[in-house]
Amino acid sequence: MVVHRRRGWEIAEREATPEAAFWNRRAVMAGGAALLAATPALAQRVVPPVGPAQTGPTVAHPFPLNQAFVDPGRPLTGEDIATTYNNFYEFGSHKQISRAAQRLTIQPWEVVIDGMVEAPLKLDAADLERRLPREERVLRFRCVEAWAMTVPFSGYPLAALVALAKPTSGAKYVRMETFQRPSEAPGHRQFWYPWPYVEGLTMAEATNELTFIATGAYGKPIPRQMGAPLRLVTPWKYGFKSIKSIVKFTFTDQRPKTFWEVAGPTEYGFWANVNPQVPHPRWSQATERLLGNDERVPTRLFNGYGEWVAGLYQDMPSAERLFM
Ligand SMILES: Nc1nc2c(c(=O)[nH]1)N[C@H]1C(S)=C(S)[C@@H](COP(=O)(O)O)O[C@H]1N2
Ligand SMILES: [Mo]
């Protein structure tokens, strides 16, 4: 069934949603309300070019929109929802952690790039961001718990960070690690979890065009509860792969043991590719609930991003549990 969903600019003021409000604000930031009226389609929206390196602590938003990721095929999730319904176990094992997360100190934020690289790097998150090509993408996001959202993320492709890091030819994986500060994050005192939160990708996954480091959301710097100042977004994988508040990227020839793989090996694995036909041991993955309107929609293989990533797995041994 093909449903015509009206775009923000087709919606009358009285029925404007938070999503429409987002696009309106973006247009204003991009040069005035007149722009919105004059712009027939999002795809032709004028966005400011990425300027020369800036000197402030953060990099000005919004970033230019990547035309390959303009249309997610479903409505944006309201910013009020995406910023108040979160998974971030460092701040509690429930969804209402947004307030607690405000205790996280995000400036300064040192990022370490080490392991099998030509020369290890240590730099502030904002400096890192200024050195990489910034853009905005609207992405579908699917948690393993079968809820989903659609978010305008901004940041840079992980591939650009990999290029900056100059891994040596022996590197096979990127291991990523979250901060560990029990004084700011009460979850870190829950000793039964294998802190710090760790994730990993193969080099082919890390350098895929779809793999993104988000430093912003909804046209602004990303809020702490969503993983400030930098978090991974791998939209074809279950949400737990999208590690938040990263402090270290390590290039290695060993497959990293990830947080959820260690915490619950019978339910969570390294690959975690979205697949509606492979149920979680405790629930079906056939459908998902869209945050906001609570509509249930069919889940798609690779969360609908097979065009970008299906090729990565074509020649994998069948013993690999790609979908958990
Ligand atoms: N460091 C860290 N990263 C994390 C998590 C976490 O608990 N700690 N939760 C993951 C899970 S399970 C999901 S679904 C997403 C949630 O991202 P969101 O809160 O921005 O929606 O973050 C992922 N990244
Ligand atoms: Mo998740």
Side-chain angles (χ1 to χ4, degrees), residues 82 85-90 141 143 147 149 178 197 225-226 231 239-240 242-244 260:
Y85 184 96
N86 301 98
N87 269 336
F88 202 165
Y89 275 54
E90 284 82 343
F141 186 92
C143 174
W147 53 265
M149 57 182 183
T178 295
Y197 200 99
Q225 62 270 31
M226 291 181 79
R231 63 89 58 88
F240 64 84
S242 293
I243 180 173
K244 294 177 171 180
W260 284 110

Side-chain angles (χ1 to χ4, degrees), residues 18-19 75-82 84-85 147-150 218 289-296:
E19 296 91 301
L76 286 187
T77 304
E79 180 178 358
D80 53 332
I81 294 164
T84 54
Y85 184 96
W147 53 265
M149 57 182 183
T150 313
Y218 297 91
R289 175 175 62 91
L290 300 183
L291 295 188
N293 62 12
D294 284 345
E295 193 188 337
R296 277 215 94 85

Side-chain angles (χ1 to χ4, degrees), residues 44-71:
Q44 281 132 47
R45 222 155 26 86
V46 178
V47 290
V50 176
Q54 298 171 47
T55 50
T58 56
V59 180
H61 285 252
F63 300 165
L65 191 59
N66 181 331
Q67 298 298 324
F69 304 104
V70 167
D71 183 6

